[in-house]
């Protein structure tokens, strides 16, 4: 792939893939030397950065020597010579080429030998030192015999033309020109610049086609995502509509149930009041009234907690109804008259036995003697069970030894 991009002149892509190759965790030193060598050449061709190119060549050279890779070492010497050729430091370039040729000839690598010879010929012609050039050309021709490397053959014919012109050999010059023309015609259709340009154009075309396909795929993906979001949004809206209507229906139903329950509680209260008015002469009936009253108080208290988020008007209505079930001071006085009528000596007996009790103590004692427990007493008096418990504890402490007598008296449900 690197050779492909380098051939097409796309040095940036070649450098990119070489750097990716370097980043691989497991890579053999020989392969790393090859990568660094090629990276140096492409860096030189793409940016003309001789400093960075030479750094890559030196690293590659160290790896090649450590691996005894003679061919790679010879190629690196040739590439370094090309750098010095570009800098017109011909002496340094020729020195490196001598070493390159020595190694290439010893290992019998024709390709690298030809590469070094062609550069050596080119530099000698540039220096106007052509004494050894014919010998070099002959060696190169011998190595190229049977080869189809028309570009190198063409370059060699151009060198022969320069040599003929320099030596003023008209016949050789004309022969060289004819051979050059034929080779150029051949390369124009096979391996010349137009073909390379066409290949590069096709590669660029494929690259842009790939980018276009990717862009179209991204657009289709985004369109699919938008459709999906639209469908999901519609589903969420439909779901919200059904949930909203269900919540509204349940809310209206709760309101209807609550209103029905409130009316039922008001009706029950009125029934209790009527029953009490018709049976005021019997304390037992009043006790039954208190028990049923307690049930209503429990229901109303639960409703007040449950309807904590309701409108204030509903809460006030519940509070008023709850208050109507409590034993107020007025109701207590009426109840005392009823007790005195039924049991004339009961209140006097309690006060004579327990002289230190208050009116509120008397109220609690009477209700407990009637059979109400702490919670029921607290309900009808509108206080908490803890308040009743603490009130009795204080009373027991105040009565001292008589506290036991008080508890026995309360436990005895017989009235005198």
């Amino acid at each position: 792939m690197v050779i492909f991009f380098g051939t097409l002149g796309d040095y940036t892509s070649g450098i990119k893939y070489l750097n990716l190759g370097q980043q691989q965790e497991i890579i053999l030193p020989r392969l790393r030397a090859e990568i660094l060598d090629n990276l140096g050449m492409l860096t030189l061709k793409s940016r003309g950065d001789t400093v960075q190119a030479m750094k890559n060549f030196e690293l590659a050279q160290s790896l090649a020597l450590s691996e005894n890779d003679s061919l790679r070492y010879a190629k690196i010497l040739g590439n370094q010579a090309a750098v010095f050729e570009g800098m017109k430091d011909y002496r340094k370039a020729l020195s490196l080429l001598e070493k390159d040729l020595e190694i290439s000839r010893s290992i019998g690598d024709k390709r690298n030998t030809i590469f070094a010879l062609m550069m050596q010929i080119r530099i000698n012609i540039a220096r106007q030192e052509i004494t050894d050039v014919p010998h070099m050309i002959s060696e190169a021709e011998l190595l190229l015999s049977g080869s189809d490397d028309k570009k190198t053959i063409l370059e060699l014919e151009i060198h022969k033309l320069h040599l003929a012109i320099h030596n003023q050999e008209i016949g050789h010059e004309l022969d060289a020109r004819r051979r050059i023309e034929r080779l150029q015609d051949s390369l124009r259709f096979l391996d010349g610049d137009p073909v390379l340009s066409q290949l590069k154009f096709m590669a660029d075309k494929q690259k842009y086609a790939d980018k276009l396909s990717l862009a179209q795929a991204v657009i289709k993906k985004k369109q699919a995502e938008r459709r999906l979001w639209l469908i999901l949004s519609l589903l969420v809206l439909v779901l919200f509509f059904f949930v909203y209507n269900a919540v509204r229906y349940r809310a209206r139903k709760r309101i209807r149930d609550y209103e029905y329950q409130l009316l039922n509680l008001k009706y029950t209260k009125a029934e209790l009041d009527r029953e009490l008015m018709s049976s005021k002469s019997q304390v037992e009936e009043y006790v039954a009234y208190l028990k049923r009253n307690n049930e209503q108080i429990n229901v109303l208290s639960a409703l007040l907690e449950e309807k904590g988020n309701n409108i204030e008007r509903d809460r006030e209505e519940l509070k008023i109804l709850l208050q109507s079930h409590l034993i107020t001071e007025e109701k207590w006085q009426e109840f005392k008259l009823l007790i005195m009528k039924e049991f004339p000596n009961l209140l006097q007996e309690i006060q004579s036995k327990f002289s230190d009790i208050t009116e509120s103590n008397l109220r609690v004692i009477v209700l407990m003697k009637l059979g109400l427990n702490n919670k029921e007493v607290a309900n009808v008096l509108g206080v908490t069970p803890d308040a009743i418990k603490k009130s009795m504890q204080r009373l027991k402490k105040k009565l001292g030894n008589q506290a036991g007598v008080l508890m026995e008296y309360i436990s005895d449900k017989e009235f005198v």
Side-chain angles (χ1 to χ4, degrees), residues 41 44 50 54 77-97 115-127 155 159:
M41 283 304 297
L44 190 64
T50 56
M54 288 301 285
L77 290 172
N79 290 334
Q80 288 176 322
V83 175
F84 287 108
E85 181 189 8
M87 296 167 63
K88 298 189 183 305
D89 188 349
Y90 297 135
R91 189 170 62 179
K92 183 65 176 175
L94 287 171
S95 173
L96 292 167
L97 285 172
F115 175 83
L117 277 171
M118 298 302 291
M119 192 184 302
Q120 197 176 42
I121 294 167
R122 190 167 60 244
I123 292 172
N124 277 291
I125 290 174
R127 294 176 67 197
E155 185 183 352
H159 292 324

Side-chain angles (χ1 to χ4, degrees), residues 329-362:
E329 185 61 31
E330 182 182 353
K331 287 184 179 180
W332 169 244
Q333 294 303 325
E334 292 176 359
F335 185 40
K336 280 175 68 175
L337 291 175
L338 177 61
I339 293 172
M340 289 171 65
K341 181 179 178 182
E342 292 290 323
F343 306 100
N345 300 322
L346 178 62
L347 297 178
Q348 290 179 358
E349 180 185 358
I350 294 171
Q351 289 174 326
S352 64
K353 283 184 177 182
F354 313 104
S355 56
D356 291 334
I357 65 172
T358 62
E359 184 70 13
S360 62
N361 293 148
L362 178 63

Side-chain angles (χ1 to χ4, degrees), residues 358-370:
T358 62
E359 184 70 13
S360 62
N361 293 148
L362 178 63
R363 195 178 310 181
V364 173
I365 291 168
V366 169
L367 291 172
M368 285 184 170
K369 192 167 180 63
L370 289 172

Side-chain angles (χ1 to χ4, degrees), residues 258 261 265 297-323:
Y258 164 71
Q261 195 173 17
L265 287 168
I297 289 170
N298 287 332
V299 172
L300 286 165
S301 298
L303 274 174
L304 270 171
E305 290 180 8
E306 182 186 338
K307 302 296 177 181
N309 295 325
N310 277 5
I311 57 175
E312 193 62 29
R313 178 176 59 79
D314 292 340
R315 288 180 58 78
E316 288 302 320
E317 195 170 3
L318 285 170
K319 287 179 182 178
I320 292 169
L321 190 55
L322 178 60
Q323 191 69 28

Side-chain angles (χ1 to χ4, degrees), residues 21-33 35:
Q22 272 204 105
Q23 293 169 12
Q24 302 303 309
E25 292 183 4
I26 302 173
I27 183 169
L28 296 174
R30 280 176 175 261
L31 181 56
R32 187 178 293 277
I35 289 173

